Amino acid sequence: NAGVTQTPKFQVLKTGQSMTLQCAQDMNHEYMSWYRQDPGMGLRLIHYSVGAGITDQGEVPNGYNVSRSTTEDFPLRLLSAAPSQTSVYFCASSRRQTAYGYTFGSGTRLTVV
Amino acid sequence: GNSVTQMEGPVTLSEEAFLTINCTYTATGYPSLFWYVQYPGEGLQLLLKATKADDKGSNKGFEATYRKETTSFHLEKGSVQVSDSAVYFCALSASGQAGTALIFGKGTTLSVSS
């Protein structure tokens, strides 16, 4: 049981490049979400999904796109990378009964130069 | 809207000292409350949780009680160890804004010295 798998673990991009951060879970969780972690800011919600085909914006969605074509996968797309998107990105998943808590991936450290 | 406020760090303690990290929340309805821990260079791990008023979550010697009257969920440990050095996040999950995704506090860094 792998849990939540994020790839890549590290990435360096040039300003203006695009890329996709991958997230997959094998727990059949309905809920998935993306966060970014910045020093002194805690974790801020970028986008979330309550099931396949359903996504919505969180606190800081600008510059990011998501889709949820399957229950297992929830990729995060950076459309045109900017230095302000330098951050550590975490994907998380949960059962519909979120009282059980979310399971987090190990993160992707992204640097935009 | 829903929000979480936790005490700012860093918190520096000697081994075997008592730990309290304060956390208060604002939420509509009846949220579930969580403490997550992040060790250096790692992702977040669920430390403990409570889903209704007066529930006490506990794990690895840490405890927190869901206090609806004071909207608080303070984290405590009677005797900290060097291995407890980490960043601790208080979080809530409530229906409303952002669906039921977790809303986090900004985190509190704990440093324990021997």
Side-chain angles (χ1 to χ4, degrees):
Chain A
N1 190 344
V4 178
T5 302
Q6 290 185 239
T7 56
K9 292 190 182 301
F10 302 94
Q11 183 70 50
V12 178
L13 287 179
K14 294 182 179 179
T15 298
Q17 287 185 317
S18 63
M19 78 159 294
T20 299
L21 279 62
Q22 302 292 343
C23 176
Q25 53 91 8
D26 60 359
M27 298 171 284
N28 203 30
H29 284 173
E30 294 92 341
Y31 291 176
M32 296 186 75
S33 51
W34 277 102
Y35 295 85
R36 59 177 289 172
Q37 183 179 23
D38 303 292
M41 301 295 292
L43 281 86
R44 293 181 291 169
L45 181 65
I46 303 172
H47 285 285
Y48 65 98
S49 169
V50 298
I54 306 170
T55 64
D56 208 343
Q57 297 180 353
E59 180 184 358
V60 288
N62 292 339
Y64 308 94
N65 271 358
V66 293
S67 60
R68 184 99 180 268
S69 56
T70 66
T71 300
E72 294 78 19
D73 299 302
F74 191 43
L76 178 71
R77 297 181 186 85
L78 279 68
L79 309 173
S80 178
S84 61
Q85 295 178 304
T86 294
S87 186
V88 181
Y89 292 85
F90 288 100
C91 179
S93 72
S94 169
R95 303 182 194 182
R96 187 179 301 276
Q97 300 84 7
T98 56
Y100 288 99
Y102 274 75
T103 300
F104 281 79
S106 58
T108 295
R109 183 174 294 276
L110 175 68
T111 301
V112 183
V113 298
Chain B
N2 299 332
S3 66
V4 174
T5 302
Q6 62 182 103
M7 63 185 287
E8 294 186 14
V11 174
T12 303
L13 295 173
S14 298
E15 207 165 24
E16 299 184 1
F18 184 84
L19 169 70
T20 300
I21 300 178
N22 291 337
C23 172
T24 57
Y25 68 90
T26 301
T28 55
Y30 301 93
S32 296
L33 301 174
F34 306 88
W35 277 100
Y36 279 82
V37 59
Q38 184 179 32
Y39 298 103
E42 298 184 10
L44 278 77
Q45 301 175 23
L46 178 63
L47 180 59
L48 53 84
K49 63 181 175 72
T51 58
K52 61 182 186 296
D54 299 325
D55 268 2
K56 176 184 284 188
S58 62
N59 186 26
K60 299 181 180 179
F62 290 89
E63 293 183 342
T65 301
Y66 189 143
R67 302 288 189 197
K68 190 165 179 62
E69 63 276 13
T70 55
T71 62
S72 64
F73 193 55
H74 305 322
L75 182 69
E76 297 181 338
K77 187 176 185 182
S79 177
V80 295
Q81 305 300 311
V82 172
S83 57
D84 293 326
S85 298
V87 182
Y88 292 82
F89 293 94
C90 184
L92 69 82
S93 175
S95 60
Q97 69 184 53
T100 54
L102 287 173
I103 305 298
F104 285 90
K106 293 187 177 182
T108 302
T109 299
L110 171 65
S111 178
V112 181
S113 58
S114 58

